[in-house]
Amino acid sequence: MAIQSKMIDDKNFTKYLNRHEIDAAVQALASRLNTDYEGKQVVLVGVLKGAIVFMADLARHLKMDTEVEFVRLSSYGKARTSSGTVTIIKDIQADIRGKHVLIIEEIIDSGRTLKFLYERLKQSGPASVEIVTLLDKSSKRVVDVPVKYVGRMIEDQFLIGYGLDLEEKCRNLPDIYYLKYPN
Ligand code: IMP
Ligand code: MG
């Protein structure tokens, strides 16, 4: 049996948000963005790999002129907690000067990854930079980073599914689960 289905069958995971609850959070965020960015040129900067599912769903609800870019940053490796050092593995290709940048993340924990990216993108002369996250573990924050758009505030739990991985697996699960017995 595949590892993913075995883990779920063994009940190491409990459902945390189902696809309908996720969809409601995504639509609420999109509706705020459609109001705030009406008539503006927006560049979505998705943080690989975790943000892909959220970004694909969010982008399809947006009505303004929207470009799609990705960055890949490394700070965690296979560990479940942040090592604290961030490096760029893949940078954006677009010129963001004068455009409105929205950093798209699926979850914020310590905030270190985003702080680094936020400061870096601001240096390229965009009209604005804001952060959009589906989930925010705000109690875990160790650096100050302005997160304007939050889908759901969550407690400190290790989550998988909808882009969130456990050692690179489970990103494709349509619902979000939390790990019952972390080790
Ligand atoms: P931060 O720099 O500590 O805020 O780390 C944020 C990144 O860590 C997220 O973009 C995720 O890729 C990863 N991460 C944080 N919490 C979780 C979790 O509960 N499950 C899976 N990945 C997580
Ligand atoms: Mg991420």
Side-chain angles (χ1 to χ4, degrees):
M1 190 192 276
I3 288 174
Q4 290 184 191
S5 31
K6 184 172 182 335
M7 285 191 298
I8 289 164
D9 286 357
D10 286 352
K11 308 221 180 330
N12 278 332
F13 294 100
T14 302
K15 203 169 274 185
Y16 186 71
L17 289 175
N18 68 40
R19 61 201 77 185
H20 307 293
E21 293 167 315
I22 297 169
D23 194 44
V26 172
Q27 286 198 40
L29 282 170
S31 145
R32 283 181 66 194
L33 294 170
N34 282 329
T35 304
D36 293 357
Y37 290 88
E38 192 182 353
K40 294 183 174 156
Q41 302 276 324
V42 165
V43 182
L44 305 182
V45 177
V47 184
L48 292 172
K49 301 174 197 172
I52 51 159
V53 185
F54 171 48
M55 180 141 146
D57 282 349
L58 182 76
R60 281 177 286 177
H61 290 295
L62 299 180
K63 300 196 173 96
M64 57 285 202
D65 287 353
T66 301
E67 288 176 59
V68 169
E69 287 286 329
F70 290 99
V71 286
R72 178 131 192 241
L73 306 166
S74 158
S75 63
Y76 273 48
K78 283 193 167 183
R80 285 182 210 168
T81 50
S82 175
S83 60
T85 359
V86 183
T87 52
I88 296 188
I89 295 172
K90 185 218 168 297
D91 210 342
I92 58 168
Q93 257 104 50
D95 182 0
I96 58 170
R97 253 172 303 177
K99 293 176 184 165
H100 295 274
V101 173
L102 291 171
I103 299 175
I104 311 294
E105 258 286 23
E106 79 290 3
I107 194 163
I108 307 179
D109 189 295
S110 72
R112 285 193 185 100
T113 314
L114 277 208
K115 175 89 176 168
F116 170 84
L117 182 61
Y118 178 81
E119 300 298 344
R120 196 164 181 283
L121 290 172
K122 275 188 110 175
Q123 288 165 12
S124 306
S128 68
V129 183
E130 296 293 350
I131 295 168
V132 183
T133 188
L134 178 65
L135 304 169
D136 186 357
K137 288 185 194 173
S138 59
S139 64
K140 294 285 295 291
R141 199 77 88 255
V142 300
V143 296
D144 196 22
V145 58
V147 186
K148 186 163 178 189
Y149 299 95
V150 177
R152 300 271 290 234
M153 302 292 278
I154 56 165
E155 280 145 40
D156 177 19
Q157 276 155 343
F158 191 81
L159 302 175
I160 56 150
Y162 199 75
L164 294 155
D165 73 306
L166 175 61
E167 295 174 1
E168 292 302 329
K169 296 196 179 64
C170 304
R171 294 191 199 272
N172 59 317
L173 300 175
D175 306 291
I176 296 177
Y177 299 79
Y178 77 88
L179 190 57
K180 269 205 256 175
Y181 308 110
N183 48 38

